[in-house]
Amino acid sequence: MAEAATTNLVGKLETDVEIKASAGQFHHMFAGRPHHVSKASPGNIQACDLHEGDWGKVGSIVYWNYVHGKYT
């Protein structure tokens, strides 16, 4: 019987995104309400799910579903 292969992707992803908000508003959304990011950028971030901990708390584990590059 063949074993199922699992792939772990670990690394760093950076991008430049123009936002129309103050630095304080931006920080508040990412630090305290990351689940709102998909509403602010639906073309890039598709979803954000909490796996462990509490929204906006240090040490929480958040799963991001995003599009990298052009999706056709």
Side-chain angles (χ1 to χ4, degrees), residues 3-72:
E3 291 184 32
T6 59
T7 302
N8 293 322
L9 299 176
V10 178
K12 188 176 197 180
L13 175 67
E14 291 185 26
T15 188
D16 291 322
V17 177
E18 185 177 335
I19 61 169
K20 295 178 182 178
S22 69
Q25 291 171 320
F26 178 79
H27 178 266
H28 179 70
M29 182 171 62
F30 267 93
R33 299 170 190 253
H35 52 289
H36 288 187
V37 175
S38 62
K39 293 177 185 173
S41 183
N44 299 320
I45 307 295
Q46 296 174 336
C48 174
D49 297 315
L50 182 67
H51 280 264
E52 187 176 305
D54 295 315
W55 287 114
K57 301 293 180 183
V58 174
S60 297
I61 298 173
V62 179
Y63 173 78
W64 294 89
N65 185 3
Y66 61 90
V67 175
H68 178 67
K70 297 208 181 243
Y71 182 74
T72 56

